[in-house]
Amino acid sequence: MAAADRLPVAAAAGSPCSTATPGCTEWVAIGGGPARSMIYRTYSLDTRNDNIRRAVIMVHGTNRNADHYFTTVTAAAFLAGALEDTVVISPRLTACNDKLEPNEVGWSCTGDSWRSGGMAATHPELSSFDFMDEIVKKLGKKSVFPNLKAIVVTGHSAGGQFVARYQMSNRVHDSIGTPMSYVVANPSSYAWPSATRPLPADDATPENAKGAWETDKPHTKFGYGAYDASACPNYDRWPAGLQNRTTGYTAKISDDVLKKQLVSRTTTYLLGQVDTLPLGGFDSSCPAMAQGATRRARARRS
């Protein structure tokens, strides 16, 4: 029996499962099954636990190393003295050429990909955001987590892209019955809600953006205007903008609804002071570069 197919050892209430091993994983059925995806978690999502007050769902980056992210966030919960009343979850979004277990869903790495709610390569009726919806709905079951008071969905880098777009589009936020919030950290691009873009002047010039790490002074002098699309005709297409959303999770959601949800849902944006170099899976495509020369610049101007 493959390691990923072994039955997970259910963590008893008050005893968190805190290692990135098969015993701390479980499968989540998507679309009613048999399609499924795996998560790491400190407590079972199917076993009643009266102790849990908070849930943190951490989405991995472009390397799809959910085990590392699980270890990091579990360590943070330990340092915060929160392991006993917080369930930490790290979903594994398999994509590209990842080896899949039977019935495991695999998503695309390009276009409307796993980062933006794109449809699965193996199960074209399912999107990556459907997977997150299923996790959230499990947390919302009062028969399992009767005292859960808050759900935080967070992600870093490519995971930050996922969370930024999930925040503005998901259909469970208002129906789950538990307050949800979002933390977006250092994504390489955003879904811009309008066709305008930052003008390459003042703090928005590439030179100033790349040198931003040399000073603690915030860059705030930005201007916005029409973008010259002659060199980048697809600059405003999803997932960089709201246009051409013909497939995927967001296809049937209007622009107005996405914009309303973007500004109304509690969200914290984190950006690195020295995140000004094209490293770590940096998106240098023309739609991304239209948003700024660096990750930090894109976050400042979004």
Side-chain angles (χ1 to χ4, degrees), residues 10-301:
S15 177
C17 196
S18 57
T19 58
T21 57
C24 291
T25 67
E26 66 183 65
W27 291 97
V28 174
I30 312 174
R36 61 181 188 164
S37 286
M38 196 192 79
I39 62 171
Y40 291 89
R41 82 293 184 267
T42 51
Y43 296 95
S44 171
L45 302 194
D46 296 318
T47 302
R48 183 181 175 97
N49 194 328
D50 293 359
N51 295 331
I52 297 301
R53 302 292 189 273
R54 296 176 296 265
V56 178
I57 308 170
M58 181 69 181
V59 183
H60 55 65
T62 192
N63 291 330
R64 302 178 302 284
N65 49 341
D67 51 348
H68 292 180
Y69 278 74
F70 177 73
T71 299
T72 299
V73 180
T74 300
F78 169 77
L79 293 173
L83 271 181
E84 304 303 320
D85 64 1
T86 303
V87 56
V88 174
I89 302 164
S90 183
R92 185 179 72 177
L93 289 129
T94 46
C96 307
N97 296 315
D98 293 340
K99 182 181 181 300
L100 303 178
E101 298 296 333
N103 296 316
E104 186 172 13
V105 180
W107 283 276
S108 170
C109 277
T110 60
D112 191 8
S113 69
W114 67 267
R115 300 170 179 85
S116 51
M119 306 309 285
T122 58
H123 298 74
E125 74 281 8
L126 300 174
S127 81
S128 58
F129 289 175
D130 290 324
F131 179 21
M132 183 62 71
D133 282 352
E134 292 296 340
I135 296 171
V136 172
K137 286 188 285 188
K138 278 179 169 286
L139 292 170
K141 291 182 179 179
K142 295 302 180 183
S143 59
V144 181
F145 298 110
N147 298 311
L148 185 67
K149 304 300 182 186
I151 299 172
V152 179
V153 183
T154 183
H156 172 259
S157 194
Q161 293 187 51
F162 179 103
V163 175
R165 296 176 177 104
Y166 183 75
Q167 178 266 5
M168 69 190 303
S169 64
N170 79 75
R171 296 185 282 266
V172 297
H173 180 98
D174 296 316
S175 62
I176 200 64
T178 302
M180 292 182 65
S181 61
Y182 308 85
V183 179
V184 177
N186 301 308
S188 219
S189 67
Y190 299 81
W192 269 65
S194 72
T196 61
R197 291 295 185 273
L199 300 173
D202 301 315
D203 284 341
T205 64
E207 295 77 16
N208 286 336
K210 292 176 182 177
W213 66 271
E214 297 173 339
T215 175
D216 290 333
K217 181 181 178 181
H219 279 196
T220 59
K221 196 173 183 181
F222 300 121
Y224 302 84
Y227 180 75
D228 180 5
S230 60
C232 189
N234 62 338
Y235 85 98
D236 202 36
R237 295 177 185 171
W238 183 264
L242 302 188
Q243 303 308 306
N244 293 80
R245 293 180 294 105
T246 56
T247 61
Y249 186 97
T250 70
K252 296 181 180 180
I253 306 175
S254 71
D255 289 3
D256 287 342
V257 168
L258 290 176
K259 292 175 184 179
K260 179 181 178 181
Q261 293 178 167
L262 173 64
V263 299
S264 66
R265 295 175 172 178
T266 301
T267 307
T268 301
Y269 293 87
L270 303 177
L271 54 150
Q273 167 76 5
V274 297
D275 199 351
T276 60
L277 297 175
L279 304 174
F282 179 75
D283 187 350
S284 60
S285 66
C286 69
M289 295 304 290
Q291 300 178 10
T294 69
R295 287 191 185 91
R296 176 178 165 179
R298 294 169 191 177
R300 285 285 188 189
R301 295 185 252 175

